[in-house]
Amino acid sequence: MRKSTILVLAALAGFSAVNYSCAKEEVVEKTVTEFRQVDPNSLYARLGGIDAITLVTNQFITNVVNDNRINGDFAATVSSESRATLFTNNLIDQICQGSGGPCIYKGKTMLEAHTGMNITDAEFNALVEDLVAALNQFEVPAKEQNDLLAILGPMRSDIVGK
């Protein structure tokens, strides 16, 4: 697993929520509301909750795997079913948590995950472009896209050139 594996989205570590993870084999909204009411105005709610976040994340990963600029960085991850599942679940949990949802990301910090990888600005930008393409495919409104990117943007300093 090289450079971009947990690149932008994984950086949402550190946001606090309830002590359980959403991105598991079965996710039911009943479980979410039993532990914590989600603010209906939160980015999580405006994105469409866990189901919509899962759809966008899966498309984002597909975009990355098909992106010749960065897909080599993900080859080892996607070639292992267990690693691919963990990667996907971590991304879902991080977007969920970072957007105000009930999930908890339990992976590495961005600095821990990217130290020694020497990720370039071009690689970072390619990953962001793949995320935006996934958001556009599901017609996520511009405000929600901008709000999500505003969460992700500051992570660049813990990722690029480390």
Side-chain angles (χ1 to χ4, degrees):
M1 184 160 58
R2 185 179 166 268
K3 296 184 181 180
S4 304
T5 303
I6 305 177
L7 198 59
V8 176
L9 298 179
L12 292 172
F15 292 93
S16 60
V18 277
N19 191 18
Y20 84 107
S21 181
C22 291
K24 302 301 171 217
E25 288 187 44
E26 3 6 275
V27 176
V28 290
E29 285 301 318
K30 184 175 184 218
T31 303
V32 171
T33 56
E34 284 176 6
F35 289 98
R36 175 178 132 185
Q37 288 290 344
V38 175
D39 179 354
N41 297 316
S42 69
L43 179 56
Y44 172 81
R46 292 183 287 127
L47 287 170
I50 195 67
D51 292 335
I53 288 170
T54 299
L55 286 173
V56 169
T57 301
N58 287 332
Q59 183 59 51
F60 167 61
I61 292 169
T62 298
N63 294 350
V64 169
V65 168
N66 291 314
D67 187 339
N68 291 330
R69 299 172 295 175
I70 58 174
N71 61 6
D73 297 337
F74 294 86
T77 299
V78 299
S79 68
S80 164
E81 186 176 340
S82 63
R83 286 177 68 179
T85 299
L86 177 63
F87 176 65
T88 301
N89 288 343
N90 277 339
L91 290 176
I92 292 166
D93 285 346
Q94 288 182 316
I95 294 170
C96 172
Q97 181 177 333
S99 63
C103 307
I104 291 190
Y105 169 72
K106 296 177 183 172
K108 295 177 180 179
T109 67
M110 286 299 87
L111 188 57
E112 290 171 327
H114 298 94
T115 297
M117 294 182 163
N118 298 312
I119 294 168
T120 66
D121 281 317
E123 290 170 317
F124 185 92
N125 292 340
L127 196 75
V128 172
E129 289 170 18
D130 290 340
L131 173 59
V132 170
L135 293 166
N136 286 337
Q137 181 171 337
F138 288 100
E139 300 178 359
V140 175
K143 178 172 178 23
E144 283 67 31
Q145 287 192 33
N146 290 334
D147 289 351
L148 180 59
L149 294 173
I151 292 168
L152 304 176
M155 300 171 201
R156 179 182 218 113
S157 63
D158 285 341
I159 297 169
V160 174
K162 301 299 176 194

